[in-house]
Amino acid sequence: MKVNGFFRSGSSHRLRIALNLKGLTYEYIAVNLRSEEHLSPRYKAHNPQGFVPTLEADGQVLIQSPAIIEWLEERYPTPALLPADPLGRARVRALAAIVGCDIHPVNNRRILEYLRGPLRCDQVGIDGWCANWITAGFDAIEALLAADRVRGGYCVGHAPTLADVYLVPQVESARRFRVDVSRWPRISAVDAACSRLDAFRLAVPALQPDAVG
Ligand SMILES: N[C@@H](CCC(=O)N[C@@H](CS)C(=O)NCC(=O)O)C(=O)O
């Protein structure tokens, strides 16, 4: 399998975690978002949206990290990253969607470039924009974690699920935008628990071959 990704991309980060949790090895192909390699005709022939990550597997190019990760779950069912019961699965998918649908997309590079360019926002404004959407999502996730009386150290249940796979890269990104994550103690505790697992530890941006300061 080959992952086309960028070290600092949150959606690439979540795919790396999912692959590691499944115990799958892959070749990493860096696509440099800073030099806009993802917008080149060559890369867009690969993924017309010009997004990372993509996964090359079984002779196909898979795009969209939620679709890729759900495909991984179906193709490599163990260890399971979704609970066995439908309500548990809905809970995990809802937590993942808060990150994947409601926080991450509005803080994506192309959105920030539009704020910086046509809308003439300065860095303070951009950091404020990101912090606003991260805060709205994390407030909701923290409330959902607090209401779940039966969970262990992770988002749902006693083992990592897709909810953790999505949350941890968003915490990393929140720190990069100078959001104080300690104000969400349950999210911070989940992040700390995950960081003790090799699957999460080895997926961090700083450890990727294309990592730069
Ligand atoms: N919904 C897509 C989003 C992918 C995405 O936003 N990737 C970012 C990096 S995290 C990207 O390639 N951004 C390029 C840009 O905004 O120009 C997915 O989950 O795969």
Side-chain angles (χ1 to χ4, degrees):
M1 279 192 274
K2 293 182 187 172
V3 172
N4 295 273
F6 182 61
F7 74 106
R8 195 170 264 168
S9 142
S11 40
S12 303
H13 188 175
R14 73 175 73 125
L15 176 57
R16 293 193 297 266
I17 296 170
L19 286 161
N20 292 350
L21 284 168
K22 294 284 183 188
L24 298 168
T25 54
Y26 57 88
E27 182 185 340
Y28 182 76
I29 300 168
V31 179
N32 191 336
L33 298 195
R34 285 177 171 155
S35 62
E36 301 199 334
E37 198 182 338
H38 61 301
L39 302 179
S40 67
R42 194 176 64 81
Y43 188 74
K44 280 196 155 180
H46 189 75
N47 178 355
Q49 276 196 296
F51 282 148
V52 292
T54 63
L55 182 73
E56 297 178 48
D58 292 356
Q60 303 289 323
V61 178
L62 284 76
I63 66 167
Q64 283 288 344
S65 64
I68 300 171
I69 291 169
E70 290 273 353
W71 174 82
L72 282 175
E73 182 69 0
E74 290 172 11
R75 177 79 172 74
Y76 302 95
T78 51
L81 300 179
L82 285 168
D85 63 302
L87 277 178
R89 295 163 95 87
R91 172 179 286 274
V92 166
R93 288 184 169 122
L95 287 164
I98 292 174
V99 173
C101 302
D102 301 328
I103 303 177
H104 176 272
V106 289
N107 293 347
N108 200 354
R109 177 191 171 280
R110 63 180 183 162
I111 304 298
L112 305 189
E113 286 302 306
Y114 194 81
L115 289 171
R116 194 174 279 121
L119 299 187
R120 296 173 182 276
C121 279
D122 60 12
Q123 196 56 44
V124 173
I126 288 172
D127 286 351
W129 168 277
C130 293
N132 183 63
W133 304 118
I134 290 167
T135 299
F138 278 11
D139 281 351
I141 292 174
E142 185 76 11
L144 290 164
L145 298 184
D148 182 349
R149 302 282 174 210
V150 296
R151 74 182 183 88
Y154 301 100
C155 282
V156 175
H158 297 268
T161 63
L162 293 188
D164 307 285
V165 166
Y166 278 67
L167 180 61
V168 166
Q170 192 60 61
V171 169
E172 167 94 24
S173 161
R175 293 201 177 103
R176 190 153 49 86
F177 289 116
R178 291 182 278 281
V179 175
D180 178 11
V181 178
S182 67
R183 61 192 277 198
W184 298 285
R186 291 169 187 84
I187 290 176
S188 298
V190 165
D191 181 59
C194 290
S195 72
R196 290 191 282 275
L197 303 179
D198 277 351
F200 286 83
R201 200 178 51 73
L202 297 171
V204 299
L207 292 185
Q208 305 316 304
D210 55 335
V212 286

